[in-house]
Amino acid sequence: MLESNMVDAVVCIAGGDDWSQPEPILARTVSDVLRGRGVKPALAPSLRVLDEIKADPSVRRLLFCGVGCAVQAFRSIEDELGLEETYVLGTNCADNSPTPHAARNFLSKGVGVDEGTVKGYEFMQDFKMHVKTEDGYEKKPYFCLPGEIAQDAIATSCLACFDYTNALADVVVGYMGAPLEGATRMDEAYQTLTIRNDRGASMVTAAEDAGRLNIGDVAGGTGSYEKIAMATVLADSIVLGMTGGEVKEEGMPRLIGEVMAFIIGRVGPKGINFARYSIDYHLLRNYLHVLDAWGDKRANASLPKYATEIVEKYLSTDDKLVELKETIRSRH
């Protein structure tokens, strides 16, 4: 969009030399924008550059890039910036680390890799953690991660978030609805592109015309997802901690974890249905968290309508979720 002169500047998150310490930048050149490449799974002060934008008369048209919480905050003060045009590019997001130290600790102690060599990581549709390093590429099944690592690795604000899909962005890009079929690495796989409005469509057209984007087929999905979403909630270490369950210090042995990932990866949800699984799991877990932290009234008020509908669907069809809810309520 910079190349086609649609915008004067871009707000994005740069990782610099250390991926775990994300910083917002106001990019005015393509090379500046490319500093925002890669995964930066720690909270970042995305709005810190907005005073610079408001004070700079040369910035009249802006592209803002961010995760759901940053986009919500940007939308709330967008009109105060006095801009002529704003475009918002979002990413799917869940479970960022609260600090750079927490992100590095998760990789070194949880995944067992040298965090100093990591270039990026992601949870992928083969039910494995993918880690790209300076020296190569590693994968570890979800099931092998130690249970107790999640408590310190996930920001409490993320546990109260219900905007995994980044609902206020014009366009959203993320891996979660794109199958891994035909690719074995996250940096070789398709991404899902969600176009929400005409402004988003114009952004995609500009990227295509510039040769920066290739569009594949319309996203589809296979496999059931509700039961595995609920099973993941029941096994979640944060949920176990809230309900008095046993949080295991160690994950599954590697061989058993690999077998589990292989089986579920073959028979479990794929494509859009994997996205539905991931969304439902996170919404249910986070609903239980806000119920535990805030009680019924405030918890229910914090849920957007679509999240309420998903929670109510599971409460009406799965007795296990009802039991978890009542257990949490009884502890207060």
Side-chain angles (χ1 to χ4, degrees), residues 1 6 25 38 48 55 96 117 124 128 137 158 175 179 197 204 209 227 231-232 240 296 301 315:
M1 294 177 69
M6 286 181 65
I25 61 170
R48 196 167 65 192
N96 271 323
T117 68
M124 298 300 290
K128 293 183 180 181
Y137 197 93
C158 294
Y175 81 93
N197 50 42
V204 172
D209 290 346
K227 288 184 178 180
T232 306
L240 290 171
D296 275 296
L315 285 172

Side-chain angles (χ1 to χ4, degrees), residues 128-188:
K128 293 183 180 181
M129 182 87 178
H130 288 224
V131 183
K132 185 178 181 180
T133 68
E134 294 174 355
D135 306 319
Y137 197 93
E138 299 187 35
K139 303 177 188 178
K140 187 173 185 176
Y142 298 175
F143 317 101
C144 298
L145 299 176
E148 61 181 13
I149 197 71
Q151 193 68 50
D152 294 329
I154 301 173
T156 53
S157 56
C158 294
L159 294 175
C161 176
F162 298 93
D163 193 21
Y164 191 9
T165 56
N166 210 328
L168 297 182
D170 299 313
V171 173
V172 182
V173 181
Y175 81 93
M176 69 175 182
L180 269 175
E181 298 169 4
T184 58
R185 296 167 51 121
M186 61 180 178
D187 52 357
E188 296 173 349

Side-chain angles (χ1 to χ4, degrees), residues 1 4 6 171 193 195 198-213 215:
M1 294 177 69
S4 61
M6 286 181 65
V171 173
L193 189 66
I195 305 171
D198 291 342
R199 187 173 295 268
S202 71
M203 295 164 65
V204 172
T205 298
E208 285 187 287
D209 290 346
R212 296 283 185 177
L213 179 67
I215 302 292

